[in-house]
């Protein structure tokens, strides 16, 4: 008799759950994705449903509809609800809180096991219902990448078992509630890309288990949390594009667990030499556009995993430490727009993985060291607006991947080496304001013209084409074949003008720089609308 009663209760529950899910299905704009949802047994081959309806997983299957038609109170066994990456719209209904309060007086069913709710990457609107505070057992709440608005409800502080709390990329406003301090188990808190503001509540210092804290792209003011890394587990901390002021928290100096730190574009202050320590696991640090001052510490060289060091637009002074050349994993250095003095450290030539070196707008002096030719992966070199002097080194032309070179507004002397016209993939070259104290070899200037002309003709950067060793006639054929396919093929009289430009480009591609036309000759040739070719083209 007891077995029959248990079986009958189970059958009844399955029927209740089936009706709840079928009612939800019937409300969708497109039901074809759930064609397997038929009958009264949700666990039997129903897409995304486990046998006991404890887990509903409908990720990225094209659902279009709302949550309001799902009767949450009829799903007593649910543990996980993952409906991310669909096209769900409307509000998160307040009755969702019944998932943690469900009971049936006849069979004494009681639910207190809902642990994961993931409706992220949809089009949900409205506010976060205060009833989410009923989720006492919830460990993961992922509401990111929706269109939610309003405040973060105080009741979120009741989710005392929460580990993962993700609200990024919404339109949330107001301040972070002080009850956030009750979430002492949370390891990942992501609030970036909202419209939140105000001072951070002091209660955030209680979140000692944080591994990831993302506060970027909001309107927060005041100080960063003082004890942000007291738990010793913080790995990813982002608070850029806000309005934070004051010093860097002292707990960050000894936070050896840090992997990624982004504090750009705030109003933080302090002596950068004293505020940061040695981080063995740190691979990215961004401190640009703040009010830091002092000297750059040689300790950054001891951060063996560091790939990106970005501290531009501050008030740093002194010389660039020679020890920085020991940080051999660096890919990007941006120290531009500070007050660095002294010579360009030749030790930086030891950074063989370096991709970008940005030192413009400082007070650096002396020569560019010839050792810079060792940086075979260098893509961008910006040294503009310094006090660099001496001759421009021809070794710059040995950088095979260099696409952007800016040496403008310095004190170089002598001719510009003709070798600088032999770059293979250079995209931008700025040598402006070098001409009034030195003779400029304009055979190099024609390089920029040929890159620009080919980019217009092809609709993209010409890449290795500019270093082609083909004959002029072969180049001419290839140019016409590689015209931007998004445009219709030119007809007379436009085709003749395109052919003229192509012929001029051919002349500019002559391997010996001294045999190329000057820009004055190029300009005159372009003005001759009846001229079929240039004298330089055989």
């Amino acid at each position: 008799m007891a077995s029959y009663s248990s079986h009958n209760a189970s059958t009844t529950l399955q029927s209740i759950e089936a009706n709840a899910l079928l009612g939800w299905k019937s409300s969708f704009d497109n039901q074809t994705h759930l064609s397997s949802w038929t009958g009264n047994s949700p666990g039997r081959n129903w897409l995304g449903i486990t046998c006991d309806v404890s887990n509903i997983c409908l990720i990225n299957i094209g659902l279009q509809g709302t949550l309001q038609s799902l009767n949450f109170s009829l799903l007593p066994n649910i543990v996980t609800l993952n409906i991310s990456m669909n096209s769900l719209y409307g509000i998160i209904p307040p009755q969702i809180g019944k998932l943690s309060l469900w009971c049936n007086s006849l069979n004494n069913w009681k639910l207190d096991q809902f642990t994961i709710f993931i409706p992220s990457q949809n089009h949900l609107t409205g506010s976060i219902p205060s009833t989410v505070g009923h989720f006492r057992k919830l460990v993961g709440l992922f509401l990111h990448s929706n269109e939610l608005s309003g405040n973060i409800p105080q009741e979120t502080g009741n989710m005392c078992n929460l580990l993962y709390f993700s609200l990024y990329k919404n339109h949330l406003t107001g301040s972070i509630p002080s009850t956030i301090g009750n979430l002492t188990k949370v390891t990942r808190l992501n609030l970036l890309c909202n419209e939140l503001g105000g001072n951070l509540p002091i209660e955030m210092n209680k979140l000692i288990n944080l591994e990831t804290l993302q506060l970027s792209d909001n309107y927060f003011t005041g100080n960063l949390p003082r004890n942000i890394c007291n738990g010793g587990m913080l790995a990813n901390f982002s608070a850029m594009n806000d309005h934070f002021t004051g010093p860097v928290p002292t707990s960050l100096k000894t936070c050896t667990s840090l992997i990624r730190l982004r504090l750009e574009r705030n109003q933080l202050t302090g002596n950068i030499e004293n505020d940061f320590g040695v981080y063995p696991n740190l691979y990215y640090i961004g401190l640009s556009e703040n009010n830091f001052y002092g000297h750059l510490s040689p300790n950054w060289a001891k951060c063996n995993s560091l790939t990106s060091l970005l501290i531009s637009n501050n008030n740093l002074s002194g010389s660039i430490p020679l020890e920085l050349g020991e940080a051999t994993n660096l890919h990007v250095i941006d120290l531009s727009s500070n007050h660095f003095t002294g010579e360009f450290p030749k030790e930086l030539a030891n950074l063989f993985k370096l991709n970008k070196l940005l030192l413009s707008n400082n007070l650096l002096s002396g020569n560019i060291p010839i050792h810079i030719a060792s940086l075979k992966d260098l893509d961008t070199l910006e040294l503009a607006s310094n006090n660099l002097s001496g001759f421009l080194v021809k070794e710059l032309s040995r950088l095979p991947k260099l696409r952007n070179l800016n040496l403008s507004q310095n004190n170089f002397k002598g001719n510009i080496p003709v070798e600088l016209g032999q770059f293979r993939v250079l995209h931008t070259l700025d040598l402006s304001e070098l001409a009034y104290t030195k003779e400029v070899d304009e055979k190099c200037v024609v390089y920029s013209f040929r890159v620009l002309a080919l980019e217009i003709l092809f609709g993209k950067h010409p890449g290795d084409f500019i270093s082609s060793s083909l004959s002029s006639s072969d180049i001419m054929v290839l140019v016409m074949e590689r015209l931007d396919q998004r445009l219709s093929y030119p007809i007379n009289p436009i085709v003749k003008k395109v052919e003229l430009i192509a012929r001029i480009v051919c002349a500019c591609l002559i391997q010996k720089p001294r045999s190329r036309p000057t820009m004055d000759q190029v300009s005159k040739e372009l003005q001759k609308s009846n001229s079929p070719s240039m004298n330089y083209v055989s």
Side-chain angles (χ1 to χ4, degrees):
M1 185 70 176
S3 175
Y4 173 79
S5 176
S6 175
H7 173 75
N8 188 49
S10 177
T11 302
T12 302
L13 176 56
Q14 279 192 341
S15 179
I16 290 173
E17 291 170 330
N19 288 336
L21 292 172
L22 290 172
W24 188 35
K25 171 187 173 182
S26 67
S27 71
F28 288 139
D29 301 341
N30 184 352
Q31 302 174 24
T32 57
H33 304 291
L34 300 177
S35 57
S36 61
W37 286 21
T38 58
N40 293 320
S41 300
R44 295 183 180 178
N45 300 320
W46 280 38
L47 176 68
I49 309 295
T50 55
C51 293
D52 56 355
V53 196
S54 61
N55 296 291
I56 298 178
C57 186
L58 302 170
I59 303 173
N60 195 21
I61 63 169
L63 295 180
Q64 297 180 24
T66 73
L67 287 171
Q68 291 168 280
S69 300
L70 178 58
N71 191 335
F72 295 97
S73 65
L74 301 181
L75 300 173
N77 290 323
I78 193 166
V79 175
T80 300
L81 176 58
N82 190 341
I83 47 177
S84 61
M85 300 173 66
N86 284 291
S87 297
L88 298 174
Y89 53 87
I91 66 170
I92 300 175
Q95 59 267 32
I96 195 171
K98 294 181 180 179
L99 281 172
S100 61
L101 299 173
W102 193 95
C103 66
N104 180 287
S105 58
L106 178 62
N107 294 288
N108 196 34
W109 297 331
K110 185 175 182 180
L111 180 75
D112 194 13
Q113 56 191 1
F114 187 46
T115 57
I116 304 288
F117 182 36
I118 312 178
S120 58
Q121 293 178 263
N122 280 284
H123 305 290
L124 299 176
T125 56
S127 59
I128 301 171
S130 60
T131 51
V132 297
H134 295 158
F135 296 150
R136 303 298 176 98
K137 293 290 184 70
L138 203 69
V139 297
L141 179 57
F142 301 86
L143 303 179
H144 59 267
S145 300
N146 278 289
E147 299 166 30
L148 300 172
S149 57
N151 296 345
I152 301 174
Q154 292 275 347
E155 290 79 3
T156 55
N158 297 333
M159 298 183 289
C160 52
N161 285 295
L162 204 61
L163 299 177
Y164 312 107
F165 194 11
S166 183
L167 299 177
Y168 69 87
K169 290 187 179 179
N170 280 289
H171 306 295
L172 300 173
T173 55
S175 57
I176 298 176
S178 59
T179 53
I180 196 87
N182 297 336
L183 308 182
T184 55
K185 294 182 180 180
V186 73
T187 61
R188 298 183 184 178
L189 176 60
N190 195 333
L191 305 177
L192 66 81
C193 294
N194 277 285
E195 298 165 31
L196 298 166
N199 290 1
L200 300 182
I202 193 171
E203 288 80 5
M204 284 192 72
N205 287 306
K206 298 178 182 179
L207 306 183
I208 59 173
N209 288 305
L210 280 174
E211 297 173 7
T212 297
L213 176 59
Q214 306 280 7
L215 304 174
S216 297
D217 296 295
N218 282 285
Y219 301 101
F220 293 121
T221 56
N223 293 347
L224 295 170
R226 183 178 66 255
N227 301 325
I228 189 64
C229 194
N230 273 11
M233 293 185 288
L234 188 66
N236 295 286
F237 180 29
S238 170
M240 67 179 196
N241 295 327
D242 279 299
H243 303 290
F244 288 113
T245 56
V248 172
T250 54
S251 61
L252 276 183
K253 183 172 184 177
T254 56
C255 192
T256 56
S257 56
L258 275 176
I259 294 175
R260 187 176 177 88
L261 177 63
R262 302 205 63 174
L263 301 177
E264 302 102 311
R265 291 179 284 282
N266 281 286
Q267 300 165 38
L268 299 171
T269 60
N271 188 327
I272 199 166
E273 190 170 16
N274 301 328
D275 288 347
F276 296 91
V278 176
Y279 310 98
N281 304 306
L282 185 70
Y283 75 88
Y284 188 107
I285 184 162
L287 304 174
S288 298
E289 297 185 48
N290 279 287
N291 297 317
F292 293 115
Y293 58 88
H295 294 183
L296 191 65
S297 171
N299 283 337
W300 291 112
K302 299 178 183 178
C303 301
N304 296 324
S305 301
L306 193 62
T307 64
S308 300
L309 177 64
L310 311 177
I311 321 181
S312 68
N313 290 275
N314 278 279
N315 295 306
L316 307 188
S317 58
S319 59
I320 297 174
L322 308 182
E323 292 84 353
L324 201 57
E326 300 171 12
T328 53
N329 282 312
L330 276 170
H331 287 67
V332 180
I333 297 176
D334 187 359
L335 302 177
S336 57
S337 299
N338 280 286
H339 308 292
F340 287 111
T341 56
E343 296 190 351
F344 184 114
K346 65 179 185 298
E347 288 77 8
L348 296 185
N350 297 327
L351 304 177
F352 301 121
K353 297 180 182 179
L354 202 62
N355 181 258
K356 288 180 170 55
L357 179 57
L358 312 176
L359 302 177
S360 295
N361 296 304
N362 279 288
L363 302 170
L364 299 175
S365 57
N367 301 333
I368 298 176
I370 60 174
H371 309 81
I372 200 167
S374 302
L375 303 178
K376 300 302 183 184
D377 283 339
L378 199 64
D379 169 273
T380 300
L381 176 61
E382 295 190 358
L383 304 176
S385 300
N386 278 285
N387 294 321
L388 296 171
S389 58
F391 294 95
L392 281 180
V393 292
K394 63 182 180 181
E395 283 77 11
L396 287 170
S397 64
R398 299 179 188 172
L399 300 173
K401 298 182 180 180
L402 194 66
R403 289 171 54 86
N404 305 290
L405 175 61
N406 191 346
L407 304 176
S408 63
Q409 301 185 55
N410 278 286
N411 298 314
F412 298 114
K413 63 182 179 181
N415 294 342
I416 296 177
V418 294
E419 288 83 359
L420 296 192
Q422 296 177 346
F423 286 112
R424 294 173 59 85
V425 295
L426 197 68
H427 188 259
T428 61
L429 173 64
D430 191 347
L431 304 177
S432 59
E433 294 191 32
L434 298 178
Y436 26 107
T437 58
K438 56 204 77 71
E439 178 186 348
V440 176
D441 185 350
E442 67 172 355
K443 296 296 179 83
C444 297
V445 180
V446 78
Y447 176 90
S448 296
F449 167 77
R450 72 186 185 188
V451 174
L452 177 61
L454 286 173
E455 189 163 357
I456 292 173
L457 292 175
F458 294 169
K460 59 183 179 181
H461 190 273
D464 289 342
F465 189 90
I466 58 176
S467 60
S468 175
S469 59
L470 298 172
S471 66
S472 295
S473 58
D474 290 336
I475 291 175
M476 181 68 180
V477 172
L478 287 176
V479 167
M480 298 306 291
E481 286 180 352
R482 293 179 59 174
L483 292 178
D484 192 344
Q485 297 298 308
R486 295 170 298 178
L487 304 176
S488 57
Y489 197 83
I491 58 175
N492 286 329
I494 296 176
V495 68
K496 292 189 177 298
K497 294 183 178 180
V498 172
E499 289 175 348
L500 171 62
I501 294 174
R503 288 191 178 97
I504 294 174
V505 168
C506 289
C508 295
L509 287 172
I510 293 173
Q511 289 219 325
K512 294 182 178 179
R514 295 188 185 279
S515 299
R516 299 170 192 158
T518 65
M519 278 309 301
D520 181 60
Q521 291 169 316
V522 168
S523 176
K524 289 178 180 177
E525 200 65 33
L526 287 173
Q527 293 174 17
K528 298 177 184 177
S529 59
N530 61 342
S531 177
S533 63
M534 293 183 66
N535 295 330
Y536 286 88
V537 181
S538 56

